[in-house]
């Protein structure tokens, strides 16, 4: 319902009317997450509750069919809704069942997307927590070990482009049973966006209309793949409040800072308004600091950025979509 409302206001050029509602929803969601989020990983359901449960769901429902898991890096619920509405307009034969799933917090790619392809919680990914370089290995190992799929029948590719048909000509539609694909378009546009959320939504709308993404989905469906579409995190428009230090040079996130010991984290915590997130979630070597409300660990102070990494609804709740073809 929230995604539909947000999308409608975007198309009617009235997103400014939702500013107070967005702030209230995100604040209440963050308060809820602080109390309840930790227990989500223990919750059982017919559909996945958290992104690391997606593998188990796919394996359970495969029924000897071919599977294509497409991870739209950085796609929020509202952005997924915009893409869905464009799909309904341009390719009405593609039907969908759309649900939502919780990304991991901190909602960054190396943690949440790696959890998708490995099927593991971050605690079990301590050796590779801040990199995505082992995703393909994780993806293959889980399908070999738990899905009884031969390694040569499993495919993984990130930075998949779908602007033209040539961009996905190398996808093995015929020869593989399991595809794991990452489309980075939304995340790339988010990190390069200079005009705030309105600009990003416009770019996503244009991409969904002008690219060959829906032709790509059609080809997968006509090759008898079960397609599941999801995301590793969403995004939020936030306001810079300064840049606290981080112990990891490559992980100077605008909505999370990561430290390898409590002392470093506490020192930063005292210098900027922030919250400590789930101690020892990923073991003793990782400590997480989140900004308050819709603030960002960025400069210039007071400048808006579209980013991700924290615990707002816009960053944490992402789509989980099953697609099929219907004449």
């Amino acid at each position: 319902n929230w995604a539909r409302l947000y999308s409608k206001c975007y198309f009617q050029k009235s997103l400014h009317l939702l500013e107070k509602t967005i702030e209230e929803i995100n604040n209440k969601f963050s308060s809820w997450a602080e109390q309840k989020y930790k227990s989500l990983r223990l919750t059982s359901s017919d559909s996945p509750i958290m992104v690391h449960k997606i593998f188990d769901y796919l394996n359970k429902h495969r029924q000897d069919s071919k599977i294509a898991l497409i991870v739209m890096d950085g796609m929020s619920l509202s952005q997924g809704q915009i893409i869905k509405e464009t799909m309904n307009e341009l390719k009405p034969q593609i039907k969908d069942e759309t649900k939502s799933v919780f990304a991991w917090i901190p909602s960054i790619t190396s943690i949440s997307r790696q959890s998708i392809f490995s099927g593991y919680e971050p605690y079990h990914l301590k050796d590779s927590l801040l990199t995505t370089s082992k995703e393909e290995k994780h993806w293959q190992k889980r399908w070999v070990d738990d899905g009884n799929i031969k390694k040569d029948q499993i495919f993984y590719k990130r930075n998949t482009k779908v602007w033209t048909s040539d961009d996905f000509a190398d996808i093995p539609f015929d020869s593989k049973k399991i595809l794991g694909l990452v489309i980075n378009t939304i995340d790339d546009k988010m990190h390069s966006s200079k005009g705030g959320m309105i600009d990003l939504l416009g770019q996503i709308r244009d991409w969904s209309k002008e690219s060959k993404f829906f032709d790509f989905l059609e080809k997968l469906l006509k090759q008898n793949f079960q397609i599941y579409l999801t995301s590793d995190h969403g995004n939020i428009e936030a306001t810079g409040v300064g840049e606290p230090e981080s112990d990891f040079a490559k992980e100077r996130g605008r909505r999370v800072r990561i430290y390898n010991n409590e002392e470093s984290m506490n020192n930063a915590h005292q210098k900027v308004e922030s919250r400590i997130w789930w101690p020892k979630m990923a073991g003793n070597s990782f400590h997480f600091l989140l900004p308050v409300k819709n603030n960002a660990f960025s400069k210039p102070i007071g400048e808006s950025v579209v980013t991700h990494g924290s615990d707002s609804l816009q960053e944490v709740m992402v789509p989980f979509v099953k697609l099929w073809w219907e004449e």
Side-chain angles (χ1 to χ4, degrees):
N1 289 339
W2 162 248
R4 284 194 289 268
L5 173 63
Y6 196 91
S7 173
K8 185 173 183 179
C9 286
Y10 165 70
F11 286 119
Q12 294 181 346
K13 303 184 185 305
S14 58
L15 268 184
H16 61 281
L17 299 177
L18 288 182
E19 287 179 0
K20 290 184 178 180
T21 305
I22 292 170
E23 184 176 358
E24 184 178 358
I25 287 174
N26 284 331
N27 288 343
K28 288 186 175 182
F29 184 85
S30 295
S31 297
W32 174 87
E34 189 173 6
Q35 301 295 322
K36 302 290 187 180
Y37 182 84
K38 297 177 186 177
S39 64
L40 287 176
R41 71 191 198 283
L42 306 175
T43 304
S44 60
S45 174
D46 290 338
S47 60
I49 296 291
M50 297 188 71
V51 291
H52 70 285
K53 291 292 188 180
I54 289 175
F55 170 81
D56 289 336
Y57 178 87
L58 299 183
N59 192 28
K60 179 180 178 181
H61 291 82
R62 190 172 68 86
Q63 298 176 340
D64 205 33
S65 299
K66 297 194 291 186
I67 293 284
L69 175 65
I70 302 174
V71 179
M72 306 286 286
D73 196 306
M75 179 178 68
S76 69
L77 284 175
S78 55
Q79 291 151 10
Q81 179 70 21
I82 289 173
I83 292 172
K84 172 182 173 177
E85 291 176 14
T86 307
M87 182 179 73
N88 292 342
E89 175 188 338
L90 300 180
K91 288 281 186 186
Q93 303 95 329
I94 301 178
K95 306 300 181 182
D96 72 281
E97 179 186 48
T98 300
K99 298 183 179 181
S100 55
V101 63
F102 288 86
W104 271 94
I105 306 170
S107 50
I108 60 176
T109 298
S110 62
I111 292 178
S112 203
R113 201 177 81 193
Q114 191 176 189
S115 291
I116 293 175
F117 285 109
S118 68
Y120 292 128
E121 299 178 23
Y123 186 84
H124 300 288
L125 301 170
K126 291 177 287 187
D127 293 340
S128 60
L129 193 71
L130 302 184
T131 178
T132 59
S133 62
K134 293 187 177 181
E135 282 182 352
E136 181 174 14
K137 182 179 179 181
H138 290 315
W139 181 243
Q140 291 176 339
K141 181 173 172 53
R142 286 307 302 270
W143 280 111
V144 169
D145 292 349
D146 298 324
N148 295 316
I149 303 294
K150 294 181 179 179
K151 187 176 179 179
D152 63 4
Q153 294 295 302
I154 305 164
F155 182 80
Y156 165 91
K157 184 182 179 183
R158 57 182 171 180
N159 295 318
T160 306
K161 306 295 181 185
V162 290
W163 277 107
T164 70
S165 299
D166 291 340
D167 289 335
F168 50 88
D170 63 338
I171 303 297
F173 295 93
D174 299 323
S175 59
K176 305 293 183 182
K177 289 184 177 180
I178 304 293
L179 303 181
L181 306 171
V182 180
I183 294 181
N184 298 84
T185 304
I186 294 174
D187 198 61
D188 290 345
K189 290 184 178 299
M190 177 189 63
H191 288 293
S192 62
S193 176
K194 302 299 183 183
M197 186 64 75
I198 295 290
D199 177 50
L200 175 61
L201 295 176
Q203 290 190 61
I204 291 171
R205 169 70 170 170
D206 292 343
W207 170 79
S208 63
K209 293 181 71 173
E210 296 169 10
S211 74
K212 295 296 183 179
F213 179 53
F214 304 127
D215 290 343
F216 172 61
L217 296 180
E218 178 181 347
K219 186 170 183 178
L220 282 169
L221 290 168
K222 290 188 173 180
Q223 290 286 338
N224 298 316
F225 278 93
Q226 289 185 40
I227 300 180
Y228 294 90
L229 196 69
T230 192
S231 172
D232 52 349
H233 59 78
N235 46 71
I236 186 174
E237 187 164 352
T239 304
V241 293
E243 297 181 329
E245 293 298 319
S246 173
D247 288 344
F248 299 94
K250 293 183 179 180
E251 285 298 336
R252 299 175 63 86
R254 291 170 168 175
R255 290 278 289 170
V256 62
R257 280 292 199 267
I258 304 175
Y259 303 88
N260 58 21
N261 62 76
E262 280 190 86
E263 183 179 1
S264 296
M265 179 189 65
N266 289 332
N267 287 338
H269 183 38
Q270 292 172 9
K271 295 177 182 178
V272 65
E273 193 176 6
S274 54
R275 295 168 294 133
I276 296 171
W277 175 252
W278 194 345
K280 301 182 180 180
M281 181 197 82
N284 295 322
S285 299
F286 300 98
H287 303 269
F288 308 106
L289 203 62
L290 307 180
V292 300
K293 299 182 179 180
N294 65 329
N295 291 340
F297 294 144
S298 64
K299 291 180 180 179
I301 293 175
E303 184 172 292
S304 293
V305 293
V306 181
T307 186
H308 63 93
S310 192
D311 61 351
S312 71
L313 179 136
Q314 290 172 281
E315 294 162 284
V316 177
M317 296 301 299
V318 295
F320 181 68
V321 186
K322 181 180 179 180
L323 298 175
W324 67 93
W325 185 266
E326 189 175 288
E327 293 291 355

